[in-house]
Amino acid sequence: MTRTFKIFRSCVGAAAPILLGTAAFSVPALLPATPALAASPAEQQQLAAAVAALRGISTLKADFLQTDRNGGSVSGQLTLARPGRIRFQYEKSARMLIVGDGKALTMVDYAVNQVQRWPIGNSPLGALLDPKRDVAQFGKIRPTGNPNVISVEVRVPSHPEYGVITLIFTRKASAPGGLELTYWVALDSQNQRTTITLSNHRYGVPVSDNDFRFNDPRPRNRR
């Protein structure tokens, strides 16, 4: 398994058979949400604003930088189309691709012709992709000390193995809902931390079904 593959594995959560922390697809039914502790009116307002910002994204393209806890990093382009579709197109040297087609997340490692497909429907990062998931029910505002930055920690308390994701929003008038998702930090059950930083956001751009397909590198007689 390549280093890039390991970095993303830490981003999306624990290894199989535990559900990984990326998109909310149609694998099992959604878990019943566990309500967070009572939030203050100001926190409730911030959380509602973050939810509105996520739900306001129809399509998005952005550059990303993925960094692991040891400082290793790899860059690429993110393509997002809600609900449920996402593509991490890594730089050519990484020989790596991550595609969520609305049904599952597929990790393709072209360096070793490896393809892995994961059921990830109940994980925290599903809040990013599925408009039916209510972040407010299992998200919690974390103080930042900056009125222009909102930090939302999302976890499923009854399932710590799903990991934790913290979404960081910055106020920006031109972004949906006036908030721009600038980065997120994922922490899996093995305490592996991965940060995805976004830049050069383009909203409402044309996105086709082909953006969420991939060339399978495995020999046909071994599939």
Side-chain angles (χ1 to χ4, degrees):
M1 184 182 292
T2 65
R3 180 181 64 86
T4 305
F5 204 100
K6 290 179 180 178
I7 293 175
F8 195 86
R9 282 284 297 278
S10 68
C11 175
V12 297
I18 297 172
L19 298 181
L20 303 183
T22 293
F25 299 118
S26 57
V27 186
L30 296 178
L31 285 174
T34 302
L37 296 176
S40 69
E43 290 173 335
Q44 292 176 1
Q45 187 177 26
Q46 288 182 321
L47 200 51
V51 171
L54 289 177
R55 291 182 173 177
I57 299 173
S58 56
T59 64
L60 167 67
K61 288 190 176 183
D63 300 328
F64 74 83
L65 180 66
Q66 177 179 306
T67 309
D68 67 13
R69 63 182 302 178
N70 297 317
S73 64
V74 62
S75 62
Q77 184 177 86
L78 168 74
T79 300
L80 172 68
R82 300 186 68 198
R85 296 187 295 170
I86 195 166
R87 180 186 184 98
F88 289 86
Q89 180 66 60
Y90 288 85
E91 59 189 68
K92 289 184 178 180
S93 62
R95 302 186 67 188
M96 185 74 188
L97 176 66
I98 311 294
V99 177
D101 62 0
K103 298 179 181 178
L105 185 76
T106 302
M107 307 180 191
V108 187
D109 189 338
Y110 289 104
V112 295
N113 295 337
Q114 182 182 27
V115 176
Q116 295 191 44
R117 189 174 174 90
W118 302 98
I120 47 179
N122 291 328
S123 58
L125 193 51
L128 175 62
L129 295 180
D130 188 349
K132 296 179 182 178
R133 298 287 298 271
D134 187 358
V135 182
Q137 291 188 23
F138 51 93
K140 182 178 181 179
I141 293 295
R142 290 297 185 186
T144 65
N146 186 337
N148 293 317
V149 178
I150 295 177
S151 174
V152 181
E153 180 186 276
V154 184
R155 66 171 74 214
V156 181
S158 59
H159 289 269
E161 70 272 20
Y162 294 168
V164 181
I165 181 168
T166 302
L167 307 173
I168 307 297
F169 299 84
T170 302
R171 297 194 186 280
K172 186 175 182 179
S174 60
L179 291 174
E180 187 160 82
L181 179 63
T182 51
Y183 69 94
W184 67 81
V185 180
L187 187 68
D188 70 12
S189 58
Q190 282 76 47
N191 205 36
Q192 297 295 313
R193 184 183 302 272
T194 302
T195 301
I196 302 287
T197 303
L198 304 181
S199 61
N200 192 24
H201 299 61
R202 287 92 71 197
Y203 299 101
V205 293
V207 172
S208 72
D209 290 341
N210 288 333
D211 288 315
F212 308 103
R213 295 171 179 155
F214 65 94
N215 294 322
D216 194 328
R218 297 171 295 181
R220 290 182 179 274
N221 59 356
R222 292 186 180 182
R223 294 180 194 172

